[in-house]
Amino acid sequence: MNPMLLPLLVGGLVVAMVVLLYLALGKGAGEAAADRLDVLVGRNVRKDSSADMLLKQAIQERDRQTLMDRLTPGFLNLTRMFEQADCNIKPSALFGISVGLAVVGAALCVWLVNIYVVPLAALLFFALPWLWLYNKRATRLKMFAAQLPDAMELVARALRAGHSLAAGMHVVAEEMPAPISREFGRVYEEQNLGIPLEETLKGMCDRVPNLDLRFFVTSVAIQRQTGGDLAEILDRIGHVIRERFKILGQVKALTAEGRLSGIVLIAMPIGLFMMMLWMKPDYVELLWKDPMGIKMSIAAIVLVLIGSYAIKKIVDIKV
């Protein structure tokens, strides 16, 4: 094999991945110019219009019919996960990026390490875009939870000022930052289009799996049926959420040592294995060549997974 062929192949794959990422995540020149003109004329470009949101939902439903989604188990709703992460890229495009990264990782592993760890490198590189999606979703949901008490108080003040509940949600959409402004703005636009308020709030609960938000939606549904002071209920919900965040901060401070110990104990064998594979690969080849080494490797992986799960259950205290 020509020694110059592999570097050229890796370079071509890297360039292809950069182009795919640019096409998937970047904005076109016309769209960027339109955004700048909207800023200059003072238009509100912070949130999508109702037509844009409906078009985005239709595109996602169309993409749901791809082969990858047919092969995905029913309990893994990729469209819902992408919607919760507020990701503009389609599932099939992210899957293609993952496959390209897996090929790049395998080629780099053959070039820099050896052929025996190609499956592990391909799996790690394939998982990178999905880890990014999971982190983006978790970050967005965490930001929404942190903004929810302020939104409850803002809606309560709007109700005391004589506004309707829909007007209070419109105030949240106008005054607060994303992501909560986008969700409340979508609820406001949907109820303006004629969808019942209970259904729009239920749809928001589906898009944002937050227990406190379900309390809010349940309170609104009960109040619309039986009556009562909704502003006072929202104030109490906001107070409970703030107190929960305080307790959660104290729990994180008390469990910081355990979480750090878990990270070190899990990362140490992996880091040691990678270092030995780089410095002396023939020393660790017995782990996948010798039958006893294969059994030891499987046992080590299983024990690491069990230990990480046990540490997570210890430090993960529900508040």
Side-chain angles (χ1 to χ4, degrees), residues 105-164:
L108 289 175
C109 187
V110 172
W111 183 26
L112 298 177
V113 189
N114 55 53
I115 198 172
Y116 297 106
V117 292
V118 166
L120 179 61
L123 181 62
L124 291 176
F125 275 77
F126 180 85
L128 287 179
W130 302 100
L131 291 176
W132 167 80
L133 177 66
Y134 177 80
N135 181 71
K136 182 177 177 63
R137 174 181 177 273
T139 302
R140 184 172 183 268
L141 294 180
K142 187 181 296 184
M143 290 178 59
F144 186 94
Q147 294 171 347
L148 191 57
D150 294 333
M152 297 294 99
E153 294 179 358
L154 191 58
V155 173
R157 288 197 295 267
L159 292 174
R160 289 193 178 95
H163 298 285
S164 64

Side-chain angles (χ1 to χ4, degrees), residues 14-315:
V14 171
V15 172
M17 289 305 304
V18 171
V19 173
L20 286 175
L21 287 172
Y22 175 77
L23 293 177
L25 302 177
K27 290 185 177 181
E31 188 177 355
D35 291 343
R36 290 195 295 269
L37 288 175
D38 288 336
V39 173
L40 288 176
V41 300
R43 293 177 183 171
N44 187 7
V45 296
R46 184 178 61 185
K47 57 183 184 295
D48 297 333
S49 63
S50 58
D52 294 335
M53 290 186 292
L54 293 176
L55 179 60
K56 179 180 177 181
Q57 183 178 3
I59 292 174
Q60 290 176 341
E61 291 296 330
R62 179 184 178 88
D63 190 70
R64 181 65 185 171
Q65 303 301 320
T66 60
L67 177 62
M68 182 195 67
D69 292 320
R70 294 193 184 99
L71 297 177
T72 304
F75 62 88
L76 291 178
N77 193 334
L78 291 180
T79 305
R80 180 61 52 79
M81 185 179 298
F82 276 71
E83 191 174 8
Q84 291 174 356
D86 194 21
C87 185
N88 294 323
I89 187 173
K90 298 189 294 183
S92 58
L94 190 66
F95 182 78
I97 294 174
S98 301
V99 173
L101 284 177
V103 174
V104 172
L108 289 175
C109 187
V110 172
W111 183 26
L112 298 177
V113 189
N114 55 53
I115 198 172
Y116 297 106
V117 292
V118 166
L120 179 61
L123 181 62
L124 291 176
F125 275 77
F126 180 85
L128 287 179
W130 302 100
L131 291 176
W132 167 80
L133 177 66
Y134 177 80
N135 181 71
K136 182 177 177 63
R137 174 181 177 273
T139 302
R140 184 172 183 268
L141 294 180
K142 187 181 296 184
M143 290 178 59
F144 186 94
Q147 294 171 347
L148 191 57
D150 294 333
M152 297 294 99
E153 294 179 358
L154 191 58
V155 173
R157 288 197 295 267
L159 292 174
R160 289 193 178 95
H163 298 285
S164 64
L165 180 60
M169 293 183 178
H170 183 60
V171 172
V172 173
E174 290 292 330
E175 299 296 332
M176 296 194 66
I180 200 167
S181 61
R182 295 174 60 90
E183 294 297 336
F184 275 76
R186 179 169 177 173
V187 170
Y188 177 75
E189 294 291 343
E190 287 177 349
Q191 64 92 26
N192 277 345
L193 293 175
I195 302 175
L197 184 60
E198 289 80 0
E199 293 185 10
T200 61
L201 291 174
K202 183 179 179 181
M204 183 169 61
C205 287
D206 293 336
R207 295 190 302 271
V208 184
N210 185 282
L211 182 60
D212 299 319
L213 181 63
R214 292 190 179 276
F215 290 157
F216 164 70
V217 173
T218 304
S219 302
V220 170
I222 294 174
Q223 190 272 340
R224 289 174 67 87
Q225 294 178 1
T226 62
D229 190 357
L230 183 58
E232 183 179 357
I233 296 174
L234 296 183
D235 284 336
R236 291 182 179 180
I237 293 176
H239 176 71
V240 170
I241 298 174
R242 292 184 187 277
E243 293 299 321
R244 182 183 299 172
F245 269 99
K246 291 180 182 179
I247 298 175
L248 185 61
Q250 296 176 0
V251 170
K252 286 185 177 180
L254 295 175
T255 59
E257 182 179 357
R259 288 186 283 112
L260 183 59
S261 300
I263 294 173
V264 172
L265 292 176
I266 294 171
M268 184 179 296
I270 300 175
L272 183 61
F273 172 77
M274 298 302 295
M275 184 182 68
M276 294 302 299
L277 186 64
W278 174 265
M279 297 177 61
K280 196 173 179 60
D282 56 339
Y283 184 77
V284 295
E285 284 181 354
L286 295 175
L287 292 176
W288 58 81
K289 288 185 175 181
D290 188 83
M292 182 59 68
I294 295 175
K295 295 179 181 179
M296 293 175 62
S297 300
I298 296 175
I301 293 174
V302 171
L303 290 175
V304 167
L305 293 176
I306 294 175
S308 61
Y309 178 76
I311 293 174
K312 178 176 176 58
K313 295 298 290 185
I314 292 172
V315 301

